[in-house]
Amino acid sequence: MQVKVKFLGGAKTVTGSRYLLELDHQKILVDCGLFQGLKEFRLRNWESFPIDPKSIDLVILTHAHIDHSGYLPKLVKEGFSGPIYCTYATDELVRILLLDAGKLQEEEAAYAQRKGYSSHEKPMPLYTIEDVEKVFPFLKPVDMNEEIQLNEKVNITFFNAGHILGAAIVKMKVKGENQEKKIVFSGDLGRYHDPIFHAPARIPFADVLFMESTYGNRSQKEQKPVDELARAIRETYRNGGVAIIPAFAVGRTQMILYYLHYLQQKGNIPDIPIYVDSPMAIDVTKLYKKYTEYHRLGPLLEEEGANPFLHKNLHYYQTQEASMSLNAIRGDAIIISASGMATGGRILHHLYNRLPREQDSIIFVGYQAEGTRGRRLLEGESTSRMYGVEVPVKSKIYYIEGLSAHADQEELMEWAEGFASKPKMTFLIHGEKEASETLSQKLTEILQWNTIVPEYMESFSLFEGI
Ligand SMILES: [Zn+2]
């Protein structure tokens, strides 16, 4: 048997994760992400898929984040009709996320049409909510830690990756005519001391490893993110302003809610209302209650006053009208809204309203990719273009480092050290060029691993004649 890989995304970038494995004539796609951020990347979503989606036999999904799952509706629309394997929590989360993505696509196309600023005659969404619903029958949820036989040549097992609810590391066993080989995809790896999620599972063996490297060049050891978050909120409160926290509704929002509750309980930040402005947050929070084995919060969710997702200061705002009504609040409040990189969604109207106000603040709590509005605001742009208008940036902008759901450089190295023998080959993926290359060097210098930082659309032969 011959095994090849082709990098259809997630190479020298953190978005568009899609890795195509070819086992003789069998085609397996690991993750099926949307490109986000820089226009150069986003345009790839509109190009025809590099191979005929009909020819793909199955998809394996490491977790629900859109940069790993958001291309699925387009893949199905273009003829893919095989199973999509994922964990049970991912199955439920990805439905929520894809429906939201479909809605966003529809809204953006309608908006572009109204404003007439699209270069297309009639702006079309990449996919619609209807397209999203056609993905659901193909989802095949399976248990974590259980070996699943996909066909006579391939077995897979999902192991806990931390990161977000249901996120998994994938171990694949490939049976050739003579030999069996192990291929491991790290997916996105979580932290070792996260208050919500368990540390990523240790995987002792891999012949070939695909390892994420988002923070391959960054250490978060020296950071005191929770103290910094508290300071930013106290400063905003003293200025009589409102703190806006752009955060993704899945994972990041729950993490922030955990810390805000903790800080309010300890009296480190004022006892002010917290508004979660998201149509998805309630559904996602329910999933935390359903899948207690996937995280550490279990008992807290049952206890009155201890539940960070349900307490007197916390208000969930679901409808668009409720969301708009938050613009009238003049001070003493915290508003959490998506998207986390301020590229779209409800956060835009909050920024439009708050950026010109000196007393308000925008607190970024997560990684801001190249090309996003979040990154530009952090780099100090003096105006931000929104709804066709240049909005002046007067509010205070904070960046809290170290609250990431991604392992940092030390944690990535710690995970790598968990291998009992070194993988014969390791591909560093899901990282900007410098991050992947730095981790690649570290793995080579410290652990003497063979590493490659692949290019977009590059192919490699993994095994021949096995
Ligand atoms: Zn992720």
Side-chain angles (χ1 to χ4, degrees), residues 381-393:
E381 69 173 357
S382 58
T383 62
S384 184
R385 195 169 177 80
M386 267 178 276
Y387 308 116
V389 176
E390 290 293 336
V391 179
V393 181

Side-chain angles (χ1 to χ4, degrees), residues 11-14 211-219 367 370 375 407-409 412-413 427-443 451-453:
K12 291 192 177 168
T13 160
V14 292
M211 182 174 176
E212 76 120 318
S213 53
T214 314
Y215 282 115
N217 57 346
R218 255 173 298 178
S219 162
Y367 180 77
E370 273 182 80
R375 172 75 77 102
D408 70 356
Q409 190 188 61
L412 288 168
M413 289 303 291
F427 293 93
L428 279 321
I429 53 172
H430 198 285
E432 285 175 8
K433 185 172 179 283
E434 221 189 288
S436 301
E437 285 175 353
T438 307
L439 188 65
S440 163
Q441 279 166 13
K442 279 213 103 149
L443 289 168
T451 58
I452 293 178
V453 180

Side-chain angles (χ1 to χ4, degrees), residues 28-159:
I28 298 177
L29 188 64
V30 178
D31 284 342
C32 187
L34 200 68
F35 284 98
Q36 296 162 309
L38 289 176
K39 190 167 185 192
E40 164 201 349
F41 292 142
R42 279 184 285 124
L43 286 174
R44 290 180 189 165
N45 296 325
W46 294 88
E47 290 166 7
S48 57
F49 199 69
I51 58 154
D52 181 5
K54 285 191 206 79
S55 71
I56 299 171
D57 296 279
L58 60 100
V59 172
I60 299 169
L61 197 56
T62 61
H63 65 291
H65 273 153
I66 288 298
D67 61 320
H68 294 257
S69 69
Y71 195 84
L72 283 170
K74 187 99 192 296
L75 198 77
V76 168
K77 196 171 157 181
E78 287 178 3
F80 170 76
S81 62
I84 302 166
Y85 293 95
C86 59
T87 64
Y88 276 96
T90 296
D91 173 34
E92 292 205 51
L93 259 188
V94 81
R95 289 167 194 251
I96 297 173
L97 288 188
L98 288 178
L99 284 171
D100 181 65
K103 199 172 116 232
L104 271 180
Q105 300 279 356
E106 287 186 14
E107 282 170 3
E108 273 167 27
Y111 188 78
Q113 192 177 4
R114 261 198 328 273
K115 289 282 173 187
Y117 65 45
S118 168
S119 49
H120 304 273
E121 235 161 65
K122 188 174 183 323
M124 297 292 285
L126 187 65
Y127 50 79
T128 62
I129 291 177
E130 209 183 313
D131 296 325
V132 167
E133 282 163 348
K134 289 182 184 146
V135 173
F136 300 164
F138 298 112
L139 289 166
K140 291 273 171 297
V142 300
D143 280 316
M144 202 75 103
N145 304 318
E146 222 167 84
E147 189 165 350
I148 312 291
Q149 184 157 11
L150 302 188
N151 52 53
E152 67 226 15
K153 289 179 180 160
V154 185
N155 286 22
I156 58 164
T157 314
F158 288 115
F159 294 98

